[in-house]
Amino acid sequence: MRGSSPRPAGEPSPAPGPAWAEPRARSRARQGPGPVKMGSVPGPIPSPFPIPGLSLQRPPGAGRGAPSGGHRALVRVGGRAGRAEAAAEMKFPGSVLISLVLFVSETAAAVCLSRGYRDQGDHMWRMLTLLFALVPCALVQLSLYFVHRDVTRDRPLVLLLHLLQMGPLVRCVEAFYIYFSAERVEEPYVSITKKRQLPKDGYSEEIEKEVGQAEGKLRTHRSAFSRASVIQAFLGSAPQLTLQLYICILQQEVTVARSIFMVLSLLSIVYGALRCNILAIKIKYDDYDVQVKPAAYLCIFMWRSFEIATRVAVLVLFGSVLRVWVFLIVLLNFLGFFFYPWIHFWLSKSPFPENIEKEVSRLGTTIVLCLLTLLYAGINMFCWSAAQVELSDPDLISKSQNWYQMTVYYIVRLMENAFLLLMWYIYRTDFYLYVCAPMLFLQLLIGYCMGIFFMLVFYQFCHPCKKLFSSSITEALFSCFNILYIICQHHKSTLLKGKVAMKSPENTDEARASSKTIDPQNRSVHQSASSNA
């Protein structure tokens, strides 16, 4: 990025959607197709449920006129024709439907599998399966309720449905009702959003669009379900997939129900990681009209599939032979990523964030931040988090693209996976006699490297905002390797100096002994020469 990175923010959404989703919107009352007055939307922006991609404070200049300079294309919507055009441009809520299908199918599969464990008498596996299914389910209900700002509104029926774990189903029905009834509902208010196009030939155009109330509500639903998918993926599906694969190795049996459940969990994890990447892109480049192409989706899908699948397999193989040590590895990883944002925040000496939500107390803000760092640790346990948490920033995420931090993460993670696989290869049991261990070792390492390869392809060629990068990830990778090479050379030079210093006393002793032997010889020669003279 040039200089400072663009300010992150969510997608625009008019009232009654959450204010945090409309950072650059201005509302106005519609009185017909004629001109109307325009006013800014005041007040701070409350936060959504803690997940990557929060926007907690209105960026400066929101609700004001467009900056001078450049070209602007004004797109206005008015009257019945305008409403029909807005409905035609409204995107089909496919992401909402995919999130609901994955959530419902995975929860139902977990309940059925736990019932099978109960019939078999495996109470421990039954309790762990239910735990990894119900805890993220409760957090998803809370996130949907929080994002839609139902906390500040008296909606007891909606609260009851969320308590009955039917919140995603109700929200999905609401989203499709809004989509199909958009043409028949009069739009009393619209919001004006300003976006800049990506630079072309040295300049970028600014586009100003009117967003209807129905489209704003639908964007709020899509944003809420995207965040819920991230929570479900890394706090539920990822631990669930690791547990079920571990049970398959211990019992030496892969049942049909368990295999279907593992496939659903893997799809949920990859989809959650994909939504996290897309959210991070839209947040970091909120000033621009970002269009993600199918090639970018394919690269992200392949990148996350290889990365997450190999990581889960490595943890399971290591845990199958060293059961106690795997808990130590997982605990160190989790606590390291959980406390890293807090340590960085403590070292920055920044004030405590107070603008999470007006109705949330300081204790509630602390709980929200802890849940945010909990999700951040869960994501980094299995893959690189596209949005880096920074508690010292008002938006709680880092706005810069730190290539070096990403490079160090993947180098350390690759070394960790190689070490865990080496320990598995050394201490493998008789169960793996019929498995080609060297080939499996090599396949998992190559699989993780394939994930890194697709990540490089995405950032180098398929990223929708690659024109805004001040440097590419390959340059950062080469510079990081150069730094490591310099460090290794410096380490070798220090070792050589140490060896020379250790050998120098012996050399001095030998030199003294040789000088003593040479001096008598010189004296004898001198004496013989003088006698001859």
Side-chain angles (χ1 to χ4, degrees), residues 19-208:
W20 58 268
E22 46 174 357
R24 302 178 71 80
R26 294 181 293 180
S27 63
R28 67 183 187 182
R30 182 182 301 282
Q31 299 177 354
V36 292
K37 295 183 179 180
M38 192 178 302
S40 61
V41 180
I45 300 177
S47 153
F49 190 73
I51 40 122
L54 299 178
S55 179
L56 302 178
Q57 191 172 9
R58 188 176 306 281
R64 303 174 186 171
S68 60
H71 302 275
R72 290 192 303 171
L74 183 60
V75 181
R76 297 190 181 277
V77 181
R80 297 182 180 275
R83 288 193 299 274
E85 183 181 353
E89 292 179 356
M90 191 179 299
K91 294 182 180 180
F92 180 77
S95 61
V96 174
L97 184 61
I98 294 174
S99 300
L100 178 66
V101 170
L102 288 175
F103 175 79
V104 173
S105 58
E106 190 177 6
T107 305
V111 173
C112 294
L113 195 60
S114 64
R115 183 179 299 176
Y117 288 142
R118 183 193 62 183
D119 297 337
Q120 297 174 3
D122 297 329
H123 298 291
M124 184 177 67
W125 303 137
R126 172 173 174 265
M127 294 300 297
L128 289 176
T129 303
L130 288 177
L131 178 67
F132 291 144
L134 296 179
V135 170
C137 185
L139 293 178
V140 166
Q141 308 294 329
L142 181 61
S143 66
L144 293 176
Y145 195 77
F146 193 86
V147 168
H148 286 275
R149 301 186 70 187
D150 291 328
V151 178
T152 59
R153 292 186 289 175
D154 188 12
R155 302 184 66 184
L157 179 59
V158 175
L159 177 60
L160 177 61
L161 292 175
H162 277 282
L163 291 176
L164 295 176
Q165 306 302 313
M166 297 178 62
L169 181 61
V170 174
R171 300 296 185 183
C172 184
V173 172
E174 288 181 359
F176 277 91
Y177 175 78
I178 293 170
Y179 177 77
F180 288 110
S181 63
E183 296 183 2
R184 302 190 303 269
V185 178
E186 180 72 20
E187 293 284 0
Y189 298 97
V190 295
S191 296
I192 300 216
T193 60
K194 292 179 181 292
K195 297 287 183 179
R196 287 192 296 170
Q197 291 183 343
L198 293 177
K200 294 181 180 179
D201 299 330
Y203 68 93
S204 62
E205 295 182 351
E206 189 176 70
I207 300 177
E208 185 174 309

Side-chain angles (χ1 to χ4, degrees), residues 1 5-9 52-54 279-281 283-285 340-341 344 372 376 384-403 405:
M1 279 68 66
S5 301
R7 294 181 301 271
L54 299 178
L279 279 171
I281 292 172
I283 287 164
K284 292 181 179 180
Y285 305 98
Y340 173 76
H344 189 267
L372 172 61
Y376 176 74
W384 167 257
S385 177
Q388 297 298 306
V389 175
E390 188 172 352
L391 301 179
S392 58
D393 191 270
D395 298 320
L396 299 184
I397 64 170
S398 177
K399 302 179 182 63
S400 60
Q401 187 69 51
N402 196 330
W403 300 121
Q405 189 176 1

Side-chain angles (χ1 to χ4, degrees), residues 327-348:
F327 291 104
L328 179 61
I329 296 295
V330 171
L331 188 63
L332 289 177
N333 275 270
F334 190 83
L335 292 180
F337 286 111
F338 179 83
F339 286 109
Y340 173 76
W342 290 100
I343 295 173
H344 189 267
F345 170 72
W346 178 70
L347 294 175
S348 65

Side-chain angles (χ1 to χ4, degrees), residues 5 39 83 86 185 223 245 257 267 397 406 429 452 494 498 524 527:
S5 301
R83 288 193 299 274
V185 178
S223 178
L245 188 58
L267 290 176
I397 64 170
M406 178 185 293
T429 58
I452 298 176
T494 53
S524 61
Q527 290 175 359

